[in-house]
Amino acid sequence: MLVGYARTSTLEQEAGLEAQVRDLKALGCEKILAEQTSAVGPRKRLEEALEFARSGDTLVVTKLDRLARSITHLGSILDRLTSKGVALRIVNLGVDTSTPTGKLILTVMGGIAEFERDMMLERQREGIAKAKADGKYKGRKPTARAKTNDIKVLHAEGMSMGQIAKRLGIGKASVHRALSGSLG
């Protein structure tokens, strides 16, 4: 059986999710699990897909980044699938782990992808350090500090910290810091 998994990071990517589901159906996936969640957060539908797949099945994804967030994460998913006798197919890469060549290609590509991400983050850190040294990078504006007066007014009106946080779109800890005087 072909088991499809589709994911987008945000609700705004509805068309992307629909395209993945459409492609998985066209490939013959009999069961498709789809979700809209960050790669780093809990992914209930992925867990469901990994639990559901049985020996002889193939888990199908349209792209590698829809499945795994790092080579380590990919490795743990592959270990789970392999231990159950389940193959993995990544459509846009033409990789199918039911073959030895597919396993090798996937491992090499995953390593290259993780290396590229690490290099991108390093370049980003270097760029930020240079901008800071040149006085051009200030970071984001502190949102809670700018709302200190509003926090104090709402608190004086009898609102709880949770209610204030929700109303102003900031964290409860920020409200606590503002009220205790450790902001601003």
Side-chain angles (χ1 to χ4, degrees):
M1 174 184 237
L2 297 179
V3 179
Y5 174 71
R7 182 189 66 81
T8 58
S9 300
T10 64
L11 296 174
E12 291 82 35
Q13 297 173 319
E14 187 69 38
L17 189 65
E18 290 171 2
Q20 289 177 60
V21 170
R22 180 193 63 235
D23 292 348
L24 292 169
K25 283 181 183 174
L27 290 165
C29 291
E30 297 174 52
K31 182 170 184 78
I32 298 173
L33 297 119
E35 62 189 335
Q36 292 181 298
T37 185
S38 167
V40 295
R43 300 195 302 174
K44 294 177 185 169
R45 302 297 276 175
L46 174 59
E47 281 303 313
E48 220 177 297
L50 296 174
E51 288 295 321
F52 177 83
R54 300 171 305 274
S55 181
D57 288 351
T58 299
L59 179 65
V60 182
V61 294
T62 57
K63 294 171 62 179
L64 179 57
D65 67 343
R66 301 297 86 205
L67 178 67
R69 62 184 162 266
S70 68
I71 192 67
T72 307
H73 186 228
L74 176 61
S76 70
I77 291 171
L78 277 173
D79 288 345
R80 284 180 68 183
L81 293 173
T82 303
S83 72
K84 293 175 72 171
V86 177
L88 173 64
R89 185 183 307 163
I90 303 167
V91 178
N92 77 323
L93 300 178
V95 172
D96 187 339
T97 64
S98 64
T99 69
T101 304
K103 287 179 188 173
L104 172 65
I105 290 171
L106 184 59
T107 303
V108 170
M109 291 179 88
I112 291 169
E114 186 169 356
F115 172 76
E116 177 55 33
R117 173 145 176 77
D118 289 346
M119 295 304 295
M120 183 268 307
L121 291 172
E122 184 177 324
R123 289 188 300 268
Q124 183 181 34
R125 282 190 296 272
E126 289 170 357
I128 290 171
K130 182 180 181 333
K132 282 181 178 179
D134 295 344
K136 295 178 181 174
Y137 183 86
K138 308 288 187 217
R140 72 170 179 86
K141 293 179 182 174
T143 54
R145 184 171 290 133
K147 297 178 181 182
T148 300
N149 289 336
D150 294 335
I151 292 169
K152 290 179 179 177
V153 168
L154 293 173
H155 185 258
E157 291 175 3
M159 250 190 208
S160 72
M161 285 193 283
Q163 291 169 324
I164 295 169
K166 189 172 183 177
R167 164 92 55 94
L168 298 178
I170 58 175
K172 196 172 172 182
S174 295
V175 173
H176 179 69
R177 282 191 298 274
L179 293 173
S180 68
S182 52
L183 280 182

